Amino acid sequence: MTVTLPSTFDEPVLLGVIGGTGLYHLESLTPVARLTVSTPWGHPSSPITISRTKTGFPIAFLARHGVHHQFNPTEVPSRANIAALKHIGVKAIIAFSAVGSLREHIKPRDFVLPTQIIDRTKGIRPSTFFENGMVGHVGFGDPFDEKLAAVIAKAAPVLESNGVKLHTKATEGNDLTLVCMEGPAFSTRAESHMYRSFGASVINMSCIPEAKLAKEAEICYQMICMSTDYDAWREGEEAVTVETVVGHLKANSLNAHNFTEAILEHLEEEIKVGNVGRSLEGSMRYSVSTAPSEISRSMLEKMHFLLPGYWALE
C-alpha cells in the first residue's frame, strides 16, 4: 500500500542527498514528507523526499535523473535541483554518481571521492544562475568540499567490510580527477585514452553543472563516485555497454545504501554544530560585477529566491 506523505515540512533541512543512476531513494531512513518545490528555474527532476535518521535528523533526497530515470544527463534540470535544495535550507550535498574507471587499480564496484574536475561538456547545459545582464563569478579552484569529504571517508570501513575499496586523496597520495563528458553516448576509445593522458581517474556525465551551481548557491558539495566499468581504454576488451554498467550498478546500489547510513552517523553532528556546511556562507555576496542599477528587477527576484537579501530589490 502506498503511503501518502505530507507535502510540507516546517523544519530547516541542512543535508541533501542527490541520487544518481541506481540510487533512487534511501532505504534505511523513514520518509516523513514529499515536497514539490517550484523555483524560478522550473521544477526539480523529482519531488524532494524528506526522511529522518534514527535520531530524528532530517535529510532531503532528490533523484537526479527523475524517479523513473527519464532525464538524460544533458536534460537534468540542475539549476532547479540545486535551487530547490537551497530553498529548503540545505547547506551540504552528498551526490552519488556512476562512473567509468580510467585507472586499472580503480576496479568496477570501487567507490571514489574525487577532488578535481575536468569539464568536457559542450556548453549546452545551463551552468550558472547568473544571466540576463547580471554577471557573477564564482571561485571553482577546489570544486569539492574538503571537510565534507573527510567526514565521508570515515565511513570507509563499511565498504571495506564488503570487499569494496574507497579511493581518496589520502589513499592515492594525489588528486583524483573526474572528467565530466556530455553523453549520453559513452566515450570512444580515442577519447578514453586522451582522458587517461590528462591524468584523470574516473569519468561521468553528471558532475557539471551540478558542482558549479552548488558553489554559486553556497552549498558545500561532494560527489561520491561508484565505478561500474573501465570506460573504453582497455584494448582487446569490449567497450563499456549498458549491460555491463547495470550489473555493477545493482551491487553498487546496496553498497551505496549501507555507505550512506554509515556516513550519516559521522556527518549529522558535524553539520549540526557547524563544522561542515558553513565554509561557503557569504562567499557570493560580493561576486557580482554588474552595476546594481543595471540589473533588472526580474533577475534580482530570481536571485532573491536563491540568496535572499544579498542584492536589494529596488
Side-chain angles (χ1 to χ4, degrees):
M1 182 177 68
T2 303
V3 177
T4 301
L5 296 172
S7 59
T8 60
F9 190 77
D10 295 332
E11 302 172 38
V13 185
L14 303 180
L15 177 63
V17 176
I18 297 178
T21 302
L23 186 65
Y24 303 107
H25 60 280
L26 295 175
E27 293 179 348
S28 61
L29 303 183
T30 303
V32 294
R34 185 163 290 118
L35 313 181
T36 300
V37 182
S38 177
T39 82
W41 297 274
H43 289 281
S45 50
S46 79
I48 298 174
T49 301
I50 309 299
S51 300
R52 291 191 187 277
T53 64
K54 296 173 183 177
T55 63
F57 186 66
I59 311 289
F61 181 86
L62 187 152
R64 180 188 293 114
H65 297 286
V67 175
H68 306 291
H69 204 115
Q70 64 268 38
F71 295 103
N72 78 35
T74 305
E75 296 171 332
V76 171
S78 294
R79 292 194 293 185
N81 289 350
I82 297 299
L85 291 173
K86 175 71 175 185
H87 190 65
I88 65 172
V90 167
K91 294 182 179 294
I93 290 174
I94 298 172
F96 284 88
S97 175
V99 300
S101 171
L102 297 170
R103 299 293 152 192
E104 187 73 40
H105 70 285
I106 300 177
K107 300 175 181 179
R109 304 192 184 186
D110 281 0
F111 280 50
V112 179
L113 294 184
T115 55
Q116 283 296 322
I117 302 170
I118 295 174
D119 183 358
R120 290 285 295 171
T121 60
K122 298 178 179 177
I124 57 177
R125 308 178 182 190
S127 61
T128 181
F129 292 108
F130 295 96
E131 57 183 351
N132 298 328
M134 186 177 188
V135 178
H137 298 283
V138 63
F140 203 56
D142 296 302
F144 301 107
D145 189 81
E146 186 176 343
K147 290 183 179 179
L148 182 54
V151 176
I152 292 170
K154 291 180 180 179
V158 170
L159 294 177
E160 293 167 356
S161 66
N162 290 316
V164 176
K165 184 172 177 59
L166 176 66
H167 300 267
T168 68
K169 186 173 182 177
T171 65
E172 303 290 300
N174 51 259
D175 280 318
L176 287 156
T177 298
L178 180 155
V179 173
C180 187
M181 61 176 283
E182 191 56 59
F186 296 122
S187 305
T188 66
R189 292 190 190 277
E191 288 170 332
S192 194
H193 283 297
M194 178 179 68
Y195 300 143
R196 278 171 50 81
S197 76
F198 291 170
S201 300
V202 292
I203 181 167
N204 79 350
M205 303 176 187
S206 299
C207 195
I208 298 294
E210 200 170 88
K212 288 183 177 180
L213 295 168
K215 278 276 189 180
E216 288 188 350
E218 299 184 353
I219 300 174
C220 297
Y221 177 94
Q222 178 63 52
M223 180 160 274
I224 299 175
C225 298
M226 305 177 291
S227 175
T228 59
D229 56 85
Y230 277 115
D231 203 45
W233 58 271
R234 274 180 151 195
E235 298 295 340
E237 287 192 6
E238 183 181 29
V240 57
T241 65
V242 172
E243 289 78 12
T244 302
V245 169
V246 169
H248 291 304
L249 272 176
K250 290 180 180 178
N252 277 346
S253 179
L254 177 60
N255 288 329
H257 284 292
N258 293 336
F259 192 37
T260 301
E261 187 172 1
I263 290 168
L264 294 178
E265 292 180 9
H266 297 282
L267 188 55
E268 180 179 329
E269 189 61 29
E270 296 292 333
I271 290 179
K272 284 180 180 177
V273 301
N275 291 338
V276 172
R278 303 288 297 273
S279 59
L280 295 176
E281 286 183 358
S283 60
M284 297 303 295
R285 186 179 293 274
Y286 303 107
S287 63
V288 174
S289 302
T290 310
S293 60
E294 300 304 312
I295 303 172
S296 69
R297 181 176 178 83
S298 62
M299 190 61 212
L300 288 171
E301 287 174 348
K302 289 176 74 171
M303 295 307 293
H304 184 75
F305 180 93
L306 186 73
L307 297 166
Y310 273 28
W311 301 287
L313 290 169
E314 298 296 336

